[in-house]
Amino acid sequence: MVKDTGKRNQLFTGLPEPTLRRMPEYLHFLQRAWERGVIDISAPYIGRELNLDPTQVVKDFAITGVKGKPKVGYNTYELIQNIEEYIGFNRTNEAILAGAGNLGSAILSYAQFQGFGIKIIAAFDADPSKTGLIKGNVNIFAIERIHELLHRLKVQIGIITTPAAAAQETADTMTACGIKAIWNFAPVTLKVPDDVIVQNTSMYANVAVLLKKHQLLQEQFRIVENV
Amino acid sequence: MVKDTGKRNQLFTGLPEPTLRRMPEYLHFLQRAWERGVIDISAPYIGRELNLDPTQVVKDFAITGVKGKPKVGYNTYELIQNIEEYIGFNRTNEAILAGAGNLGSAILSYAQFQGFGIKIIAAFDADPSKTGLIKGNVNIFAIERIHELLHRLKVQIGIITTPAAAAQETADTMTACGIKAIWNFAPVTLKVPDDVIVQNTSMYANVAVLLKKHQLLQEQFRIVENV
DNA sequence: TAGATTGTTAATCGATTAACAATC
DNA sequence: TAGATTGTTAATCGATTAACAATC
């Protein structure tokens, strides 16, 4: 068994999360550059465009194992390949989704169209009026059928877009069905076995940062105006 | 003028962003506790439930200015009030949204129902077939009318849910109309004047972290099984 | 060769965690 | 009073930034 230190993060030492979060940004930028015919691209250039320290860009790229040439930079295509490989965007990662409300429906359509590494192959909802519907090419099933369907599908990724009150129960069902990674949009802390990871995406957290920074920046400028 | 150091963050020194991101989580948890009749609540208890270090909880609360009692903890209601006040969830922060596609529509409905501090009062879209529609009680206008409408509405917060290719142009229009805070869902780095803040929420970043952690944890457990 | 960029090692900075005194 | 918790100061940890040598 993996020792449970209570510190889940210790399993991921050497995995700098900020770097990981920047990877898709690099990817998008590099793909646009590649489309414009940019063969070689340097870290200082990318840094200027993305508002990042050039050393940080170099370090981030080093993690993927790509090699650059002094004075020239990196091969754009090779860089794209390496980043996609590193974060797993080039594999087909199948997922299921629970809670086909507003947010859930959006994720369904969004994931299918944008295709960011995951493919949602089934959705579930507790509301009987939603079962049988199809959203973003995905069938919505009754939540009771999750066990039966997952037994056949062998999916490891689950997305929770249920109301907060239903999130923990949904997570329990998912882990009981073999889900090993949960993308949780509900504003609750989920309790899961230690061979399961949870990635929280909270709209609330982002609104909080947005509002507070806005408030502070406005104060700053008001002070300056009154001097 | 505020000196532009190139480091936007320097304007926000003393604003620990991780703390800010935890605030809505505390808030949600405290509201549930309050509903259950919990009058006083301690940092160690909250820490256990939310998987956080108790000292961190104490420090986070201290930022809001709330006072606790040794041996007792904090008054739940007072704590809720202080956090709401601190992050601005108790004010009505009006916003507009540009890009009423899948994600945009979801945010429209989601924001209205959940009411997390912001109230979207108008939406805009470039697609003529969408103008005139109402989603989540919000009217969708032609993007050309943004100038005219914002002149009257005096809104400071803008949400960008357009395709990536249209995001920068949308941001330019918004800032030209007096928007001071942009919540950007497009996977691009926006360039804005330095009295405007940008909060990026990237689905891609979250998927990247999810996929990589999942991959690593599975490897860990595979290794353990084979020992 | 000169100069820009990679790649690596060291310094800084900020957040988390630990230690501990104050207090109810 | 004893003990749990707040509140604060110090230590640790990790990420960012700076410095600089290697290299094309």
Side-chain angles (χ1 to χ4, degrees), chain A residues 11 17 25 86 91 102 106 109 114 156 189 197 199 201 204 206 209 212-215 217 220, chain B residues 11 17 25 86 91 102 106 109 114 156 189 197 199 201 204 206 209 212-215 217 220:
Chain A
L11 290 171
E17 194 167 315
E25 203 188 340
Y86 181 74
R91 284 186 288 281
N102 292 308
S109 318
Q114 308 287 331
Q156 297 220 329
T189 304
I197 70 114
Q199 176 65 21
T201 297
Y204 295 86
N206 284 287
V209 177
K212 194 69 193 177
K213 283 194 177 171
H214 174 230
Q215 182 192 320
L217 192 61
Q220 293 264 6
Chain B
L11 291 170
E17 195 168 313
E25 201 187 343
Y86 181 73
R91 285 185 287 281
N102 293 308
S109 318
Q114 307 288 332
Q156 297 220 329
T189 305
I197 69 115
Q199 176 65 21
T201 297
Y204 295 86
N206 284 287
V209 177
K212 194 69 194 177
K213 283 194 178 172
H214 173 229
Q215 182 192 321
L217 192 61
Q220 293 263 5

Side-chain angles (χ1 to χ4, degrees), chain A residues 25-210:
Chain A
E25 203 188 340
Y26 293 133
L27 199 54
H28 185 267
F29 181 75
L30 292 166
Q31 282 162 342
R32 295 298 86 71
W34 178 247
E35 284 165 12
R36 292 199 317 271
V38 178
I39 304 295
D40 292 304
I41 198 160
S42 78
Y45 170 67
I46 295 170
R48 271 191 304 277
E49 292 298 313
L50 301 183
N51 254 307
L52 297 168
D53 187 285
T55 310
Q56 188 166 68
V57 178
V58 170
K59 271 201 164 177
D60 285 347
F61 290 171
I63 280 189
T64 71
V66 75
K67 295 286 171 198
K69 283 198 187 71
K71 174 97 176 145
V72 180
Y74 301 85
N75 178 272
T76 312
Y77 185 76
E78 204 185 324
L79 202 43
I80 291 173
Q81 294 300 313
N82 271 266
I83 295 176
E84 281 189 341
E85 166 70 26
Y86 181 74
I87 56 183
F89 273 20
N90 57 352
R91 284 186 288 281
T92 307
N93 302 286
E94 293 190 332
I96 56 146
L97 179 145
N102 292 308
L103 190 60
S105 303
I107 306 287
L108 279 176
S109 318
Y110 199 60
Q112 306 309 332
F113 287 119
Q114 308 287 331
F116 41 39
I118 54 170
K119 183 173 159 59
I120 302 173
I121 58 171
F124 299 89
D125 203 287
D127 180 357
S129 73
K130 285 200 185 115
T131 64
L133 297 178
I134 296 175
K135 287 190 181 181
N137 292 327
V138 179
N139 281 74
I140 302 175
F141 300 95
I143 190 80
E144 294 79 28
R145 298 191 59 197
I146 196 168
H147 222 108
E148 164 206 343
L149 280 155
L150 273 186
H151 190 67
R152 279 191 277 153
L153 297 171
K154 303 251 183 286
V155 177
Q156 297 220 329
I157 300 169
I159 305 171
I160 296 181
T161 44
T162 65
Q168 182 60 57
E169 196 191 337
T170 306
D172 293 343
T173 308
M174 283 183 172
T175 52
C177 294
I179 291 288
K180 296 296 180 191
I182 293 176
W183 191 5
N184 174 41
F185 286 84
V188 290
T189 304
L190 299 176
K191 297 187 175 170
V192 295
D194 68 328
D195 64 336
V196 176
I197 70 114
V198 176
Q199 176 65 21
N200 293 302
T201 297
S202 165
M203 294 294 154
Y204 295 86
N206 284 287
V207 175
V209 177
L210 178 85

Side-chain angles (χ1 to χ4, degrees), chain A residues 48-51, chain B residues 8 168 171-172 175 189-193 198:
Chain A
R48 271 191 304 277
E49 292 298 313
L50 301 183
N51 254 307
Chain B
R8 186 67 56 89
Q168 182 59 58
D172 293 343
T175 52
T189 305
L190 299 176
K191 298 188 173 168
V192 295
V198 175

